[in-house]
Every structure is written in structure tokens, then in C-alpha cells.
Amino acid sequence: MSASSTARLNVDLAALSQNYASLKRAAGAAEVAPVVKADAYGLGMAGVAAHLARQGAKTFFVARLAEGLALRTLVGNDPVIYVLDGLTDPSAFAAQRLRPVINTPDQYQLWLQGPSEVVAALHIDTGMNRLGVRPDQIADLPAARHHGLALVMSHLACGDEPGHPMNYQQLMAFRAATDHFPGVARSLSNSSGLYLGPDYGFDLVRPGICLYGGGPFGTAHADIQPVAHLSARILQIRELKVGESVGYGASFVADRDMTLATIGLGYADGLMRSLAPLGFVTVQGERRPLTGRVSMDVFTVDVTGLHVSDRTWVEILGSSQNLDAVATAAGTIGYEVLTRLGTRVPRHYT
Ligand SMILES: *Cc1c(COP(=O)(O)O)cnc(C)c1O
């Protein structure tokens, strides 16, 4: 690894392909449409979306219009791109052939008044109460005569809890609501939803986190490979005497003589401060606990007994410790761990 960098994020494109293939198997006949919002969950939309397009992905989802515009230049004219935020400026969607996901009756009207080449999806809220039209608003929507409605979709609130009764309630509500749109393709499931069973697949599924090595149910699935490998270099090694303290707040006090490594990654890079009490890194194949607090640019690890130098790299996230394990140790979810990875960490695609 380059001597000039102190941290790097390796994005394993082969693992990404495997996860995409594994999701396609799990999805059965449904199309798998990758969700690449938030810079492909922090892994870099340019590297990730272009790779998935080469693997055959034909439809993508982003959250923001700006993400859709950026994605269009990355993947060219052919792929379908849906923008989850809703419809703002119909001419902007028309210019780049982006498809709005319409969330309100007003947006629906705006769509019908705008250029007829704008093809759209309609988001129906089946119980999450976040985005989408309510089922009781559907009857009042005028027919989309000259405008193409390509997809009706909804989103599961509790898909990551397979036993939650709300999954079935939303499934039933979705079926009833989509009866109003015969012949229009349907989509209900994100990553976890597509593992709830064939009933949840419909025509298209929208996985994000499982493509990137997380979940589906808050723990790693046997078929899902780690994609993000986050490592950082030791900047300095010091001998610590019993009774000496480490870092801000002197929160860690050595209970014996020990060897300490200071590593070049901190909360400004997205390493959460909350990881410190329970977090581990892997140094030369061994798990070692974090000592003291995570600082802005560095954190410290007990490396007593290991033959390390200031050229040794340690792994924070990857094969040795997967995304869900890191998230659990930090008291959060894999989505937050990935999307917080800072731009200061260079991404490499292998
Ligand atoms: C983010 C998002 C997804 C992807 O969810 P994952 O849990 O990452 O698979 C799918 N659909 C919608 C509407 C989303 O906002």
C-alpha cells in the first residue's frame, strides 16, 4: 500500500458482483435494481454503479436529483434511474431521462402538467408514514393518459425483522393499493424484504445494504460477502508503563506495562467515537481492542507482544470483522458505518 496514505478503503468489486448475483438468485424472477444513493453507501457511486452496470444492472435508484444527474453521466444513457426524493422540476428530469418517484398528489399533478416524456414511479405509503401517497388518495389521482407510469412501489418499515406483523400488513396493503394499477410493474422490497419470501419479490427489488456487505437482518448472511475493507497504518509505537493513561480524558489507564500503537484513522474519517469501548481491530491476524477514546485523526490499540512497526497496517472493517460486527460494537447499524466514511479516506477498487 502507498506509503503516503494512512488509511484506505478497499472496495472489493468481485465481492460486489457475488452479492449482486446472490441477490438475483434470492429475488427469483424479480429484477434486481441496485440502490446507489449516498455515493453508493459511501463506497463511491462512480466505481460501484459502473461496475454493477457492467454486471447487467439496468435500473438504479438514488435519493437526490443531484445524485441522479451524476449517475447519468457515469452510466450513460441506457440505464433507468429513479430518484426517490420525488418530483421537483420536471424539465430537469426530462433533460437527463431521470424518473421521479412521485410521493404526493401535488407531485402527481406536476408530473401530468410537465413534459410527457417523463416516465415516473408512484410511491404508495403502506404504513411507514415517511414518503408516498396514502392508499386512500389513489382513487382521486387522474389517469396518466399520455405520461408513462412504469412502477408502483412501497417500502417496508420492519423488513429487517422477519417475524414482525407489519411486514404482512404492508404486503396486504400493497396488494390492495396496486390493484388500481393493472399492468404496472410493482416493487416492495429493499435488501431485507427480498429475503422475506417470494411473496415480497413482485417485479423488482431495490437492495442497497446487502450489495455492500451488510445484513439482511442486522447480521451477516452466509451468502453476503464483505465488500468494504477499511484499514489504516500505524503512525507511532510507544511503550506504556503501568499507571500511565492514554488519550483525551485520560479515560484508559494501563493496568500493566504495555505496547501501544497509534493508528491514522479518526472520527473525521468516519470512525465512530462510540466504537471505542467494544471495538476491535485486526493486527497481523490478531484481534486487539481499542484503548481510550477515538480522536479526530487517530486512535490507539494495545499491540503488546506483536511485531509491528510504523509501517504495519491494521484492519478495522473487512473479512476479519464484518460490517454488522463493527456496527454492533459501535451501537449503530451498518448503513451508518458505511455512509459516514469520510472523503479523506481514499477509495481503491480491486
Ligand atoms: C434506501 C432504500 C432502499 C435500499 O434499502 P436497503 O435496506 O439498503 O436494501 C430501498 N428502497 C427505498 C425506498 C430506500 O429508501
Side-chain angles (χ1 to χ4, degrees):
M1 289 182 221
S2 134
S4 63
S5 71
T6 56
R8 61 186 274 151
L9 180 68
N10 266 325
V11 179
D12 182 344
L13 293 176
L16 179 66
S17 304
Q18 284 176 37
N19 291 344
Y20 176 60
S22 141
L23 290 167
K24 286 209 286 196
R25 284 193 299 275
E31 179 185 353
V32 175
V35 179
V36 295
K37 62 192 180 188
D39 206 21
Y41 290 41
L43 303 188
M45 190 166 71
V48 165
H51 183 73
L52 289 168
R54 284 194 296 274
Q55 302 298 304
K58 296 192 165 26
T59 304
F60 293 89
F61 284 80
V62 294
R64 309 278 185 250
L65 174 57
E67 293 174 338
L69 296 170
L71 182 58
R72 177 58 79 211
T73 66
L74 291 170
V75 294
N77 273 328
D78 288 344
V80 169
I81 300 173
Y82 284 104
V83 176
L84 291 164
D85 273 359
L87 181 60
T88 43
D89 173 4
S91 57
F93 281 82
Q96 293 304 323
R97 291 184 47 255
L98 303 176
R99 295 187 178 183
V101 176
I102 290 171
N103 288 319
T104 67
D106 284 351
Q107 288 176 16
Y108 191 91
Q109 292 291 353
L110 184 64
W111 174 53
L112 293 187
Q113 286 152 19
S116 62
E117 68 263 29
V118 177
V119 174
L122 178 67
H123 192 160
I124 302 166
D125 178 55
T126 53
M128 189 159 188
N129 285 311
R130 203 181 59 164
L131 289 172
V133 301
R134 299 179 65 93
D136 60 18
Q137 294 175 315
I138 290 172
D140 294 335
L141 298 177
R145 295 176 192 291
H146 303 295
H147 286 68
L149 181 66
L151 186 73
V152 282
M153 59 167 272
S154 191
H155 193 49
L156 296 167
C158 307
D160 58 349
E161 297 173 59
H164 200 290
M166 207 162 156
N167 294 324
Y168 188 70
Q169 287 162 20
Q170 287 194 265
L171 175 64
M172 290 298 120
F174 186 61
R175 282 189 180 148
T178 53
D179 279 349
H180 291 88
F181 304 92
V184 179
R186 297 183 287 177
S187 173
L188 177 61
S189 287
N190 62 340
S191 294
S192 51
L194 78 91
Y195 286 98
L196 293 177
D199 284 355
Y200 290 80
F202 293 95
D203 300 300
L204 179 149
V205 293
R206 314 180 304 270
I209 197 72
C210 279
L211 283 167
Y212 310 121
F217 301 127
T219 50
H221 191 279
D223 285 346
I224 299 299
Q225 310 294 318
V227 173
H229 298 260
L230 177 64
S231 49
R233 186 166 62 81
I234 295 178
L235 301 176
Q236 188 173 346
I237 297 168
R238 65 198 320 112
E239 300 302 326
L240 203 66
K241 298 244 173 301
V242 62
E244 289 185 320
S245 66
V246 179
Y248 285 118
S251 65
F252 178 87
V253 178
D255 60 0
R256 59 194 152 80
D257 292 356
M258 58 194 280
T259 311
L260 196 76
T262 302
I263 293 160
L265 190 80
Y267 59 75
D269 303 295
L271 188 75
M272 306 209 167
R273 288 180 81 245
S274 59
L275 184 65
L278 296 173
F280 282 87
V281 299
T282 302
V283 193
Q284 294 180 336
E286 266 197 42
R287 284 185 124 207
R288 289 302 176 99
L290 273 61
T291 47
R293 294 187 186 161
V294 173
S295 311
M296 188 181 290
D297 314 306
V298 297
F299 69 100
T300 48
V301 167
D302 176 1
V303 292
T304 307
L306 297 174
H307 296 285
V308 291
S309 75
D310 58 6
R311 297 187 164 271
T312 305
W313 285 75
V314 310
E315 186 174 88
I316 295 96
L317 168 69
S319 317
S320 56
Q321 191 169 225
N322 71 32
L323 182 58
D324 290 293
V326 172
T328 303
T332 182
I333 53 176
Y335 302 74
E336 196 182 9
V337 171
L338 285 187
T339 57
R340 284 204 179 196
L341 292 174
T343 50
R344 197 165 68 171
V345 181
R347 272 74 168 157
H348 295 264
Y349 300 86
T350 51

